[in-house]
Amino acid sequence: MGTGPALLCDTGWITHLRGQLSLFSFSEFLDRLARHFTVIRYDKPGCGLSDRDGIDLSFEGQVAAAMAVADAVGARRLRLFGASQGGQLAAAIAARHPDRVEALVVYGTCASGRDLVSPEARQSVVALVRANWGMGLQALTSAFVTDPTAEQAATFTTFQRASSSAEVAAQLLDVYYDTDIRALLPAIRTPTAVLHREGDRGTPFALGREVAALVPGATLIPLPGSSHLFYHGDWEAVLEAIVGFLTPPTPPTSPRGERLTDRESEVADLVTDGLTNHAIATRLSVTPRTIESHVENIRRKLRVNSRAQIAAWVTEQRLRP
């Protein structure tokens, strides 16, 4: 849906193209995203409207399915957005197909699924999902949605049950826990943004920071909140960060030909590294108000509206030969 550059999306663990539209703010998030991009969604193997039987649910099988979707719609050049487990998949595509990927944004993901839970907890959760889909859903909902109401929990549980069978959900969860892409991340050369909520209950913030550290030149964008779902809570902040990074400003100067001062360039670099104004002020031994002024000047000169767009511009400059 939408118009503009192709944006292939993997929204995570299990999917249902129709069912997701009634979840929280997913539909509005999608509508807003489609104002800027041709958004390509698909049901993962074994999920939603896709075939349920005889499907390759391995990580490699999921990567192959995503590329098949891109080929089917004729998207030779792509921007990628991957959330949670979908972040691992999107990163793998970016590493292996640099000729096709223009930019990458991952949200709430990790380099290794083994870091999410202990081996004992992993076995228990997968076994619970496989043996009792209903109870497994209830156990996982609190990790995805912060303090859900009874109605929200019921809505999310209904969506998940419609998305896949217990066996498929268990297999996909097991694959996520067992996938480690640390070796792939340093091979990514496309501009990359790592979005992560600071209080994410499903995937700790430190795991997102590790992803950003392993991808050369990646921009870490910390976000407030604790919900693991990008379309729950302050979803507009997530949307702004995605759009800001994937549609970076191209002119390095303002209409009047103004360029960044040395200090402004230094501040812009620290913004790109994910530091808050207060943290930058401490680093540079100045007041937070001074940094606020610098950030405003940077925005004015670059003709951008957000920190994410500043980070996108800096990343583009870093990647230039």
Side-chain angles (χ1 to χ4, degrees), residues 140-163:
L140 290 167
T141 296
S142 60
F144 293 138
V145 184
T146 303
D147 301 326
T149 64
E151 182 180 357
Q152 288 177 328
T155 298
F156 194 59
T157 298
T158 298
F159 156 72
Q160 291 184 97
R161 186 178 286 113
S163 296

Side-chain angles (χ1 to χ4, degrees), residues 10-14 44 57-60 62 82-89 106-117 122 126 140 144 168-181 196 200 202-204 207-208 211 228:
D10 186 322
T11 54
W13 174 35
I14 53 178
K44 297 172 75 73
L57 299 178
S58 69
F59 183 72
E60 296 304 326
Q62 294 179 52
S84 192
Q85 187 270 347
Q88 288 189 331
L89 182 142
V106 297
Y107 166 90
T109 195
C110 62
S112 174
R114 298 184 184 94
D115 294 333
L116 292 169
V117 292
R122 164 185 169 174
V126 172
L140 290 167
F144 293 138
V168 166
Q171 287 188 48
L172 289 174
L173 188 59
D174 199 32
V175 167
Y176 184 27
Y177 284 152
D178 199 42
T179 299
D180 187 335
I181 60 169
H196 214 106
D200 191 324
T203 305
L207 300 185
V211 172
H228 184 59

Side-chain angles (χ1 to χ4, degrees), residues 234-258:
D234 186 8
W235 60 270
E236 290 183 298
V238 181
L239 180 73
E240 177 187 324
I242 294 172
V243 173
F245 187 82
L246 292 180
T247 55
T250 52
T253 60
S254 76
R256 292 184 295 276
E258 294 176 288

Side-chain angles (χ1 to χ4, degrees), residues 260 263-264 267-268 270-271 275-277 280 288-302 304-307 310:
L260 301 188
R263 175 62 94 181
E264 288 167 351
V267 171
L270 294 174
V271 167
L275 274 67
T276 63
N277 285 353
I280 296 173
R289 180 59 189 147
T290 298
I291 299 303
E292 289 175 12
S293 296
H294 283 315
V295 171
E296 286 306 311
N297 285 336
I298 294 168
R299 287 176 177 169
R300 177 179 57 80
K301 289 182 177 182
L302 297 182
V304 301
N305 298 315
S306 69
R307 297 172 76 87
I310 293 174

Side-chain angles (χ1 to χ4, degrees), residues 59 80 82 84-96 98 104-107 109-113 115 179-194 206-219 319:
F59 183 72
L80 296 175
S84 192
Q85 187 270 347
Q88 288 189 331
L89 182 142
I93 292 175
R96 295 171 180 172
L104 167 68
V105 174
V106 297
Y107 166 90
T109 195
C110 62
S112 174
D115 294 333
T179 299
D180 187 335
I181 60 169
R182 286 192 182 96
L184 285 175
L185 294 176
I188 295 175
R189 292 295 179 266
T190 189
T192 300
V194 179
L207 300 185
R209 184 181 290 280
E210 179 189 24
V211 172
L214 290 172
V215 177
T219 298
L319 293 175

Side-chain angles (χ1 to χ4, degrees), residues 11 15-22 26 30 40-44 47-50 159 163:
T11 54
T15 64
H16 194 295
L17 289 180
R18 293 174 181 165
Q20 280 180 298
L21 296 177
S22 61
F26 187 91
L30 189 63
I40 305 165
R41 294 194 304 136
Y42 64 101
D43 272 327
K44 297 172 75 73
C47 295
L49 306 176
S50 294
F159 156 72
S163 296

